[in-house]
Amino acid sequence: MKKLDLKKICKDSKAIAIGGHVRPDGDCVGSCLGVYHLLKNTYPEKEVQVYLEFVPESIKLLPGADTVKNAYDTDVYYDTFIALDNGSEERLGFSEPVWQKAKTKVEIDHHISNTYVGEHVLIDAKASAACEIVADLIDDEDLTLEIAQCLYLGIVHDTGVFKHNNTTEHTMCVAGRLLAKGVDTEQIINQSFYQKTYVQNQILGRSLLESFLTLDRRVIISVITNDVLTFYGASSQDIDGVIDQLNVTEGIEASVLIYEYEIGKFKISLRSHHIVDVSTIAKALGGGGHIHAAGFNAEGNWHDIINNILELMILQLEGQTE
Ligand SMILES: [Mn+2]
């Protein structure tokens, strides 16, 4: 596999920009900050700047997170741009013009759909996370605790704490190498991944309490109305994770979460385990997604939405094809 030498590529650059995809996640922020620390440590005199749309609240514990900018300085020319965890140029968002102008373009990613070509492109779809690839590009003497913290967090997030099937033997070896640098794994995993705000917990509790089982207890459904959101002062971000909790209920095949983000307007998340292909259901109702995780938007009355979903789900549970 082609290996990039980040230090060598940046040796003659005066200013280096680093960026990732819109709506940055743990792997995106972690890989950007990991590369940021590597270059700052190697070339303290150079201008190195990370550009991301935002840093999610739960990831602000990473060293260097406070240096990230969400608008670019038009008076600085970056001769090198390093894009991470980013499948296509458009996904860079506001920093795309900086990328376009840069003389040297570096792309490191693990999305199978990645379309980049160029001299400094490194795409490994087998890697669990961009952070895993970046870790392999950093020699042991350059791998500081700060870098290890950033990369560890990214791997934790993209593997769902080493749970998803993208976790390989190599992933664990990389994680072990980062761990050896002194990463406080419990702090990173709990604070950035599992920790919830009080409001998020209240919404989760309420959703579980009001959920119900149907179709022979094979489908679990919960509805969060706009009244409930308003009562708790919750926003759509506070709904994250509710569907996953519904979906780990023992014995169910599929789960449905309906939430009313505005009065009469709903977002619907669907999950399934084995039999039901929720992507076809979501597609039939105007949305899309993957076989076991999909969603769509709807307006009107949530009773009708449930009826529409169940009608399609029954067909699949009964083994009919549609
Ligand atoms: Mn990723």
Side-chain angles (χ1 to χ4, degrees):
M1 191 174 68
K2 189 173 80 171
K3 204 180 162 189
L4 290 178
D5 188 337
L6 288 170
K7 283 162 66 176
K8 205 169 142 196
I9 291 169
C10 297
K11 196 167 165 276
D12 298 321
S13 303
K14 281 202 179 70
I16 302 140
I18 301 168
H21 58 77
V22 289
R23 295 182 53 80
D25 57 11
D27 185 31
C28 181
V29 180
S31 55
C32 286
L33 288 175
V35 171
Y36 168 81
H37 288 297
L38 172 75
L39 296 177
K40 262 296 176 201
N41 296 344
T42 313
Y43 304 114
E45 73 289 357
K46 290 191 200 293
E47 162 87 20
V48 183
Q49 182 61 53
V50 177
Y51 289 117
L52 290 169
E53 192 184 350
F54 56 82
V55 175
E57 208 54 46
S58 60
I59 303 174
K60 286 192 175 155
L61 79 168
L62 282 183
D66 53 346
T67 69
V68 174
K69 288 186 180 172
N70 61 7
Y72 62 90
D73 315 300
T74 42
D75 52 337
V76 186
Y77 165 68
Y78 294 92
D79 34 18
T80 298
F81 193 115
I82 303 173
L84 292 137
D85 195 35
N86 186 58
S88 66
E89 292 185 340
E90 308 80 70
R91 294 255 300 152
L92 282 172
F94 77 93
S95 66
E96 199 196 335
V98 189
W99 163 271
Q100 296 298 0
K101 271 187 243 161
K103 192 170 78 205
T104 306
K105 297 176 170 72
V106 183
E107 163 67 17
I108 299 169
D109 187 29
H110 68 126
H111 292 98
I112 198 157
S113 53
N114 195 302
T115 52
Y116 280 96
V117 284
E119 190 189 348
H120 305 303
V121 174
L122 179 55
I123 297 157
D124 180 4
K126 285 203 277 302
S128 67
C131 284
E132 183 180 320
I133 306 174
V134 170
D136 284 335
L137 298 180
I138 301 179
D139 294 332
D140 220 46
E141 62 267 27
D142 293 328
L143 191 60
T144 61
L145 172 59
E146 285 184 327
I147 297 174
Q149 287 168 326
C150 297
L151 301 181
Y152 191 87
L153 182 142
I155 296 173
V156 159
H157 280 239
D158 263 18
T159 59
V161 194
F162 308 108
K163 178 180 73 179
H164 302 323
N165 62 9
N166 59 356
T167 311
T168 64
E169 184 183 345
H170 184 66
T171 310
M172 299 311 273
C173 290
V174 170
R177 192 174 154 234
L178 302 173
L179 189 64
K181 295 290 171 180
V183 174
D184 185 340
T185 55
E186 189 175 344
Q187 185 212 18
I188 286 192
I189 293 171
N190 279 340
Q191 283 190 22
S192 75
F193 196 83
Y194 288 116
Q195 188 168 276
K196 302 238 181 259
T197 63
Y198 184 58
V199 168
Q200 285 169 333
N201 268 337
Q202 284 186 306
I203 288 284
L204 174 65
R206 180 87 182 241
S207 311
L208 298 178
L209 201 63
E210 293 187 0
S211 68
F212 58 95
L213 293 162
T214 183
L215 300 188
D216 245 353
R217 302 174 72 86
R218 293 167 84 191
V219 178
I220 188 166
I221 300 178
S222 189
V223 180
I224 303 170
T225 60
N226 196 261
D227 287 354
V228 171
L229 282 184
T230 308
F231 179 80
Y232 292 106
S235 70
S236 59
Q237 279 170 22
D238 297 317
I239 313 296
D240 285 357
V242 173
I243 185 73
D244 299 309
Q245 194 58 44
L246 290 170
N247 203 41
V248 293
T249 309
E250 188 189 12
I252 60 123
E253 164 56 27
S255 41
V256 179
L257 178 69
I258 299 172
Y259 89 88
E260 191 180 18
Y261 62 98
E262 262 175 51
I263 292 168
K265 292 183 176 178
F266 300 85
K267 280 190 191 298
I268 298 94
S269 298
L270 306 168
R271 296 285 186 277
S272 67
H273 290 285
H274 308 289
I275 308 162
V276 174
D277 173 357
V278 287
S279 73
T280 57
I281 296 174
K283 221 170 152 188
L285 298 171
H290 307 280
I291 294 174
H292 298 304
F296 65 98
N297 291 345
E299 292 186 14
N301 173 317
W302 58 264
H303 296 278
D304 295 334
I305 297 169
I306 291 177
N307 285 340
N308 292 340
I309 296 167
L310 291 183
E311 249 175 52
L312 295 166
M313 237 173 225
I314 288 167
L315 295 176
Q316 292 201 26
L317 284 168
E318 287 174 352
Q320 297 175 20
T321 51
E322 222 221 355

